[in-house]
Amino acid sequence: MLKQIENRRSIRKYLNKKVEKEKLVPILESARLAPSGSNTQPWTFIIIESEDTKEKLSIADHYQKWMLAACWTAWFEQDAVRPILSIPEDKYVCGIITLGYGDEAPEQRPRRAMEEIVRYEKW
């Protein structure tokens, strides 16, 4: 699994090809079954098949088995996303994941060394 994580890339360009339902449903099922604090299951999934909308969102995980690619983001303005997806004002969008057939193969980006990010017992 570590090798898959090392090889994962965030894909931001996709082919204009619809993801088949038989590939999408297991991905959604695994997300639905994911753990949540106090089993609150605070998610709602919005499936968008419009390439135009995906581009507007321009927004994690690389599904190599089916050659699907994805990109996770949590860096966006709530007010910019709400009208695109018709999100009610009382809801908070914590993340967006685009998923599709990748149309790019970016190089690996540098990662910080463990010594820079891991602390034991205190800062």
PDB file of all heavy atoms in Angstrom, residues 78-106:
ATOM      1  N   GLN A  78     -16.268  28.966   0.040  1.00  0.00           N
ATOM      2  CA  GLN A  78     -17.620  28.425   0.155  1.00  0.00           C
ATOM      3  C   GLN A  78     -18.588  29.158  -0.779  1.00  0.00           C
ATOM      4  O   GLN A  78     -19.391  28.541  -1.457  1.00  0.00           O
ATOM      5  CB  GLN A  78     -18.111  28.525   1.607  1.00  0.00           C
ATOM      6  CG  GLN A  78     -17.385  27.630   2.580  1.00  0.00           C
ATOM      7  CD  GLN A  78     -17.727  26.163   2.414  1.00  0.00           C
ATOM      8  OE1 GLN A  78     -18.876  25.771   2.270  1.00  0.00           O
ATOM      9  NE2 GLN A  78     -16.697  25.333   2.427  1.00  0.00           N
ATOM     10  N   ASP A  79     -18.488  30.478  -0.804  1.00  0.00           N
ATOM     11  CA  ASP A  79     -19.416  31.276  -1.617  1.00  0.00           C
ATOM     12  C   ASP A  79     -19.243  31.035  -3.108  1.00  0.00           C
ATOM     13  O   ASP A  79     -20.163  31.278  -3.883  1.00  0.00           O
ATOM     14  CB  ASP A  79     -19.249  32.761  -1.301  1.00  0.00           C
ATOM     15  CG  ASP A  79     -19.728  33.116   0.103  1.00  0.00           C
ATOM     16  OD1 ASP A  79     -20.520  32.339   0.677  1.00  0.00           O
ATOM     17  OD2 ASP A  79     -19.310  34.159   0.631  1.00  0.00           O
ATOM     18  N   ALA A  80     -18.074  30.581  -3.531  1.00  0.00           N
ATOM     19  CA  ALA A  80     -17.854  30.290  -4.946  1.00  0.00           C
ATOM     20  C   ALA A  80     -18.416  28.921  -5.325  1.00  0.00           C
ATOM     21  O   ALA A  80     -18.902  28.727  -6.438  1.00  0.00           O
ATOM     22  CB  ALA A  80     -16.363  30.347  -5.268  1.00  0.00           C
ATOM     23  N   VAL A  81     -18.382  27.968  -4.400  1.00  0.00           N
ATOM     24  CA  VAL A  81     -18.826  26.602  -4.688  1.00  0.00           C
ATOM     25  C   VAL A  81     -20.337  26.460  -4.566  1.00  0.00           C
ATOM     26  O   VAL A  81     -20.960  25.749  -5.352  1.00  0.00           O
ATOM     27  CB  VAL A  81     -18.120  25.609  -3.738  1.00  0.00           C
ATOM     28  CG1 VAL A  81     -18.703  24.226  -3.847  1.00  0.00           C
ATOM     29  CG2 VAL A  81     -16.638  25.585  -4.031  1.00  0.00           C
ATOM     30  N   ARG A  82     -20.944  27.117  -3.598  1.00  0.00           N
ATOM     31  CA  ARG A  82     -22.386  26.950  -3.338  1.00  0.00           C
ATOM     32  C   ARG A  82     -23.265  27.104  -4.578  1.00  0.00           C
ATOM     33  O   ARG A  82     -24.105  26.240  -4.837  1.00  0.00           O
ATOM     34  CB  ARG A  82     -22.840  27.918  -2.257  1.00  0.00           C
ATOM     35  CG  ARG A  82     -22.396  27.539  -0.884  1.00  0.00           C
ATOM     36  CD  ARG A  82     -22.944  28.564   0.141  1.00  0.00           C
ATOM     37  NE  ARG A  82     -22.212  28.484   1.364  1.00  0.00           N
ATOM     38  CZ  ARG A  82     -22.320  27.494   2.250  1.00  0.00           C
ATOM     39  NH1 ARG A  82     -23.145  26.505   2.011  1.00  0.00           N
ATOM     40  NH2 ARG A  82     -21.604  27.500   3.342  1.00  0.00           N
ATOM     41  N   PRO A  83     -23.125  28.191  -5.358  1.00  0.00           N
ATOM     42  CA  PRO A  83     -24.035  28.325  -6.506  1.00  0.00           C
ATOM     43  C   PRO A  83     -23.805  27.275  -7.594  1.00  0.00           C
ATOM     44  O   PRO A  83     -24.754  26.847  -8.251  1.00  0.00           O
ATOM     45  CB  PRO A  83     -23.747  29.723  -7.041  1.00  0.00           C
ATOM     46  CG  PRO A  83     -22.504  30.187  -6.398  1.00  0.00           C
ATOM     47  CD  PRO A  83     -22.288  29.359  -5.177  1.00  0.00           C
ATOM     48  N   ILE A  84     -22.578  26.818  -7.768  1.00  0.00           N
ATOM     49  CA  ILE A  84     -22.284  25.818  -8.798  1.00  0.00           C
ATOM     50  C   ILE A  84     -23.004  24.518  -8.490  1.00  0.00           C
ATOM     51  O   ILE A  84     -23.542  23.859  -9.381  1.00  0.00           O
ATOM     52  CB  ILE A  84     -20.757  25.578  -8.906  1.00  0.00           C
ATOM     53  CG1 ILE A  84     -20.056  26.845  -9.398  1.00  0.00           C
ATOM     54  CG2 ILE A  84     -20.455  24.400  -9.835  1.00  0.00           C
ATOM     55  CD1 ILE A  84     -18.540  26.777  -9.321  1.00  0.00           C
ATOM     56  N   LEU A  85     -23.039  24.127  -7.214  1.00  0.00           N
ATOM     57  CA  LEU A  85     -23.620  22.845  -6.803  1.00  0.00           C
ATOM     58  C   LEU A  85     -24.966  22.985  -6.101  1.00  0.00           C
ATOM     59  O   LEU A  85     -25.498  22.009  -5.582  1.00  0.00           O
ATOM     60  CB  LEU A  85     -22.634  22.114  -5.887  1.00  0.00           C
ATOM     61  CG  LEU A  85     -21.275  21.806  -6.502  1.00  0.00           C
ATOM     62  CD1 LEU A  85     -20.353  21.175  -5.470  1.00  0.00           C
ATOM     63  CD2 LEU A  85     -21.419  20.914  -7.718  1.00  0.00           C
ATOM     64  N   SER A  86     -25.511  24.205  -6.058  1.00  0.00           N
ATOM     65  CA  SER A  86     -26.798  24.471  -5.379  1.00  0.00           C
ATOM     66  C   SER A  86     -26.765  24.010  -3.930  1.00  0.00           C
ATOM     67  O   SER A  86     -27.692  23.361  -3.436  1.00  0.00           O
ATOM     68  CB  SER A  86     -27.959  23.806  -6.124  1.00  0.00           C
ATOM     69  OG  SER A  86     -28.035  24.280  -7.445  1.00  0.00           O
ATOM     70  N   ILE A  87     -25.690  24.343  -3.223  1.00  0.00           N
ATOM     71  CA  ILE A  87     -25.534  23.966  -1.816  1.00  0.00           C
ATOM     72  C   ILE A  87     -26.309  24.945  -0.945  1.00  0.00           C
ATOM     73  O   ILE A  87     -26.119  26.148  -1.058  1.00  0.00           O
ATOM     74  CB  ILE A  87     -24.039  23.989  -1.407  1.00  0.00           C
ATOM     75  CG1 ILE A  87     -23.201  23.115  -2.329  1.00  0.00           C
ATOM     76  CG2 ILE A  87     -23.866  23.610   0.057  1.00  0.00           C
ATOM     77  CD1 ILE A  87     -23.399  21.644  -2.187  1.00  0.00           C
ATOM     78  N   PRO A  88     -27.163  24.450  -0.035  1.00  0.00           N
ATOM     79  CA  PRO A  88     -27.896  25.355   0.874  1.00  0.00           C
ATOM     80  C   PRO A  88     -26.928  26.120   1.782  1.00  0.00           C
ATOM     81  O   PRO A  88     -25.839  25.644   2.106  1.00  0.00           O
ATOM     82  CB  PRO A  88     -28.765  24.401   1.704  1.00  0.00           C
ATOM     83  CG  PRO A  88     -28.806  23.123   0.943  1.00  0.00           C
ATOM     84  CD  PRO A  88     -27.534  23.051   0.161  1.00  0.00           C
ATOM     85  N   GLU A  89     -27.333  27.294   2.193  1.00  0.00           N
ATOM     86  CA  GLU A  89     -26.504  28.161   3.042  1.00  0.00           C
ATOM     87  C   GLU A  89     -26.177  27.530   4.391  1.00  0.00           C
ATOM     88  O   GLU A  89     -25.150  27.841   4.980  1.00  0.00           O
ATOM     89  CB  GLU A  89     -27.191  29.513   3.264  1.00  0.00           C
ATOM     90  CG  GLU A  89     -27.135  30.429   2.058  1.00  0.00           C
ATOM     91  CD  GLU A  89     -25.717  30.843   1.694  1.00  0.00           C
ATOM     92  OE1 GLU A  89     -24.907  31.129   2.598  1.00  0.00           O
ATOM     93  OE2 GLU A  89     -25.421  30.866   0.491  1.00  0.00           O
ATOM     94  N   ASP A  90     -27.031  26.645   4.889  1.00  0.00           N
ATOM     95  CA  ASP A  90     -26.781  26.051   6.199  1.00  0.00           C
ATOM     96  C   ASP A  90     -25.859  24.828   6.133  1.00  0.00           C
ATOM     97  O   ASP A  90     -25.622  24.171   7.137  1.00  0.00           O
ATOM     98  CB  ASP A  90     -28.104  25.677   6.884  1.00  0.00           C
ATOM     99  CG  ASP A  90     -28.852  24.563   6.177  1.00  0.00           C
ATOM    100  OD1 ASP A  90     -28.713  24.434   4.945  1.00  0.00           O
ATOM    101  OD2 ASP A  90     -29.569  23.816   6.859  1.00  0.00           O
ATOM    102  N   LYS A  91     -25.317  24.527   4.951  1.00  0.00           N
ATOM    103  CA  LYS A  91     -24.406  23.395   4.785  1.00  0.00           C
ATOM    104  C   LYS A  91     -22.996  23.906   4.531  1.00  0.00           C
ATOM    105  O   LYS A  91     -22.788  24.943   3.917  1.00  0.00           O
ATOM    106  CB  LYS A  91     -24.825  22.498   3.612  1.00  0.00           C
ATOM    107  CG  LYS A  91     -26.241  21.966   3.735  1.00  0.00           C
ATOM    108  CD  LYS A  91     -26.417  21.128   4.970  1.00  0.00           C
ATOM    109  CE  LYS A  91     -27.840  20.615   5.065  1.00  0.00           C
ATOM    110  NZ  LYS A  91     -28.225  20.212   6.379  1.00  0.00           N
ATOM    111  N   TYR A  92     -22.000  23.142   5.001  1.00  0.00           N
ATOM    112  CA  TYR A  92     -20.601  23.505   4.835  1.00  0.00           C
ATOM    113  C   TYR A  92     -19.920  22.450   3.968  1.00  0.00           C
ATOM    114  O   TYR A  92     -20.001  21.254   4.254  1.00  0.00           O
ATOM    115  CB  TYR A  92     -19.908  23.578   6.201  1.00  0.00           C
ATOM    116  CG  TYR A  92     -18.459  23.961   6.116  1.00  0.00           C
ATOM    117  CD1 TYR A  92     -18.085  25.287   5.978  1.00  0.00           C
ATOM    118  CD2 TYR A  92     -17.470  22.991   6.142  1.00  0.00           C
ATOM    119  CE1 TYR A  92     -16.748  25.648   5.881  1.00  0.00           C
ATOM    120  CE2 TYR A  92     -16.130  23.336   6.050  1.00  0.00           C
ATOM    121  CZ  TYR A  92     -15.781  24.666   5.920  1.00  0.00           C
ATOM    122  OH  TYR A  92     -14.462  25.016   5.811  1.00  0.00           O
ATOM    123  N   VAL A  93     -19.280  22.889   2.907  1.00  0.00           N
ATOM    124  CA  VAL A  93     -18.563  21.973   2.021  1.00  0.00           C
ATOM    125  C   VAL A  93     -17.150  21.824   2.562  1.00  0.00           C
ATOM    126  O   VAL A  93     -16.380  22.782   2.582  1.00  0.00           O
ATOM    127  CB  VAL A  93     -18.528  22.508   0.576  1.00  0.00           C
ATOM    128  CG1 VAL A  93     -17.795  21.537  -0.333  1.00  0.00           C
ATOM    129  CG2 VAL A  93     -19.941  22.779   0.063  1.00  0.00           C
ATOM    130  N   CYS A  94     -16.806  20.633   3.035  1.00  0.00           N
ATOM    131  CA  CYS A  94     -15.480  20.442   3.622  1.00  0.00           C
ATOM    132  C   CYS A  94     -14.466  19.959   2.607  1.00  0.00           C
ATOM    133  O   CYS A  94     -13.265  20.085   2.818  1.00  0.00           O
ATOM    134  CB  CYS A  94     -15.542  19.496   4.816  1.00  0.00           C
ATOM    135  SG  CYS A  94     -16.001  17.824   4.386  1.00  0.00           S
ATOM    136  N   GLY A  95     -14.907  19.409   1.500  1.00  0.00           N
ATOM    137  CA  GLY A  95     -13.966  18.950   0.488  1.00  0.00           C
ATOM    138  C   GLY A  95     -14.669  18.635  -0.806  1.00  0.00           C
ATOM    139  O   GLY A  95     -15.871  18.399  -0.844  1.00  0.00           O
ATOM    140  N   ILE A  96     -13.894  18.670  -1.877  1.00  0.00           N
ATOM    141  CA  ILE A  96     -14.395  18.330  -3.204  1.00  0.00           C
ATOM    142  C   ILE A  96     -13.405  17.352  -3.811  1.00  0.00           C
ATOM    143  O   ILE A  96     -12.190  17.538  -3.732  1.00  0.00           O
ATOM    144  CB  ILE A  96     -14.517  19.586  -4.091  1.00  0.00           C
ATOM    145  CG1 ILE A  96     -15.574  20.527  -3.519  1.00  0.00           C
ATOM    146  CG2 ILE A  96     -14.839  19.201  -5.538  1.00  0.00           C
ATOM    147  CD1 ILE A  96     -15.656  21.853  -4.227  1.00  0.00           C
ATOM    148  N   ILE A  97     -13.934  16.303  -4.417  1.00  0.00           N
ATOM    149  CA  ILE A  97     -13.101  15.329  -5.111  1.00  0.00           C
ATOM    150  C   ILE A  97     -13.603  15.228  -6.542  1.00  0.00           C
ATOM    151  O   ILE A  97     -14.771  14.921  -6.767  1.00  0.00           O
ATOM    152  CB  ILE A  97     -13.163  13.939  -4.452  1.00  0.00           C
ATOM    153  CG1 ILE A  97     -12.708  14.005  -2.998  1.00  0.00           C
ATOM    154  CG2 ILE A  97     -12.318  12.944  -5.246  1.00  0.00           C
ATOM    155  CD1 ILE A  97     -12.907  12.713  -2.232  1.00  0.00           C
ATOM    156  N   THR A  98     -12.725  15.492  -7.496  1.00  0.00           N
ATOM    157  CA  THR A  98     -13.076  15.237  -8.887  1.00  0.00           C
ATOM    158  C   THR A  98     -12.579  13.841  -9.226  1.00  0.00           C
ATOM    159  O   THR A  98     -11.577  13.379  -8.702  1.00  0.00           O
ATOM    160  CB  THR A  98     -12.445  16.262  -9.836  1.00  0.00           C
ATOM    161  OG1 THR A  98     -11.035  16.276  -9.651  1.00  0.00           O
ATOM    162  CG2 THR A  98     -13.018  17.655  -9.590  1.00  0.00           C
ATOM    163  N   LEU A  99     -13.298  13.158 -10.089  1.00  0.00           N
ATOM    164  CA  LEU A  99     -12.977  11.780 -10.441  1.00  0.00           C
ATOM    165  C   LEU A  99     -13.262  11.587 -11.920  1.00  0.00           C
ATOM    166  O   LEU A  99     -14.288  12.045 -12.425  1.00  0.00           O
ATOM    167  CB  LEU A  99     -13.849  10.822  -9.620  1.00  0.00           C
ATOM    168  CG  LEU A  99     -13.711   9.342  -9.907  1.00  0.00           C
ATOM    169  CD1 LEU A  99     -12.374   8.823  -9.380  1.00  0.00           C
ATOM    170  CD2 LEU A  99     -14.862   8.576  -9.287  1.00  0.00           C
ATOM    171  N   GLY A 100     -12.360  10.940 -12.608  1.00  0.00           N
ATOM    172  CA  GLY A 100     -12.576  10.671 -14.028  1.00  0.00           C
ATOM    173  C   GLY A 100     -11.376   9.966 -14.618  1.00  0.00           C
ATOM    174  O   GLY A 100     -10.502   9.487 -13.904  1.00  0.00           O
ATOM    175  N   TYR A 101     -11.360   9.905 -15.930  1.00  0.00           N
ATOM    176  CA  TYR A 101     -10.236   9.316 -16.639  1.00  0.00           C
ATOM    177  C   TYR A 101      -9.198  10.403 -16.849  1.00  0.00           C
ATOM    178  O   TYR A 101      -9.452  11.395 -17.521  1.00  0.00           O
ATOM    179  CB  TYR A 101     -10.700   8.725 -17.968  1.00  0.00           C
ATOM    180  CG  TYR A 101     -11.563   7.496 -17.766  1.00  0.00           C
ATOM    181  CD1 TYR A 101     -12.945   7.599 -17.727  1.00  0.00           C
ATOM    182  CD2 TYR A 101     -10.978   6.249 -17.582  1.00  0.00           C
ATOM    183  CE1 TYR A 101     -13.736   6.474 -17.528  1.00  0.00           C
ATOM    184  CE2 TYR A 101     -11.753   5.124 -17.380  1.00  0.00           C
ATOM    185  CZ  TYR A 101     -13.131   5.243 -17.341  1.00  0.00           C
ATOM    186  OH  TYR A 101     -13.893   4.136 -17.132  1.00  0.00           O
ATOM    187  N   GLY A 102      -8.042  10.234 -16.255  1.00  0.00           N
ATOM    188  CA  GLY A 102      -7.014  11.257 -16.295  1.00  0.00           C
ATOM    189  C   GLY A 102      -6.509  11.555 -17.691  1.00  0.00           C
ATOM    190  O   GLY A 102      -6.395  10.668 -18.525  1.00  0.00           O
ATOM    191  N   ASP A 103      -6.196  12.815 -17.912  1.00  0.00           N
ATOM    192  CA  ASP A 103      -5.657  13.273 -19.188  1.00  0.00           C
ATOM    193  C   ASP A 103      -4.320  13.972 -18.969  1.00  0.00           C
ATOM    194  O   ASP A 103      -3.988  14.926 -19.663  1.00  0.00           O
ATOM    195  CB  ASP A 103      -6.654  14.214 -19.883  1.00  0.00           C
ATOM    196  CG  ASP A 103      -6.304  14.434 -21.345  1.00  0.00           C
ATOM    197  OD1 ASP A 103      -5.554  13.612 -21.911  1.00  0.00           O
ATOM    198  OD2 ASP A 103      -6.765  15.433 -21.920  1.00  0.00           O
ATOM    199  N   GLU A 104      -3.592  13.527 -17.969  1.00  0.00           N
ATOM    200  CA  GLU A 104      -2.257  14.045 -17.697  1.00  0.00           C
ATOM    201  C   GLU A 104      -1.508  13.029 -16.839  1.00  0.00           C
ATOM    202  O   GLU A 104      -2.118  12.162 -16.241  1.00  0.00           O
ATOM    203  CB  GLU A 104      -2.321  15.408 -16.998  1.00  0.00           C
ATOM    204  CG  GLU A 104      -2.913  15.352 -15.599  1.00  0.00           C
ATOM    205  CD  GLU A 104      -2.879  16.702 -14.888  1.00  0.00           C
ATOM    206  OE1 GLU A 104      -2.115  17.589 -15.305  1.00  0.00           O
ATOM    207  OE2 GLU A 104      -3.622  16.852 -13.913  1.00  0.00           O
ATOM    208  N   ALA A 105      -0.202  13.151 -16.808  1.00  0.00           N
ATOM    209  CA  ALA A 105       0.636  12.272 -15.994  1.00  0.00           C
ATOM    210  C   ALA A 105       1.722  13.124 -15.340  1.00  0.00           C
ATOM    211  O   ALA A 105       2.868  13.127 -15.780  1.00  0.00           O
ATOM    212  CB  ALA A 105       1.241  11.177 -16.853  1.00  0.00           C
ATOM    213  N   PRO A 106       1.354  13.868 -14.291  1.00  0.00           N
ATOM    214  CA  PRO A 106       2.337  14.757 -13.664  1.00  0.00           C
ATOM    215  C   PRO A 106       3.462  13.998 -12.979  1.00  0.00           C
ATOM    216  O   PRO A 106       3.278  12.879 -12.515  1.00  0.00           O
ATOM    217  CB  PRO A 106       1.503  15.548 -12.651  1.00  0.00           C
ATOM    218  CG  PRO A 106       0.276  14.753 -12.428  1.00  0.00           C
ATOM    219  CD  PRO A 106       0.064  13.911 -13.641  1.00  0.00           C
TER     220      PRO A 106
END
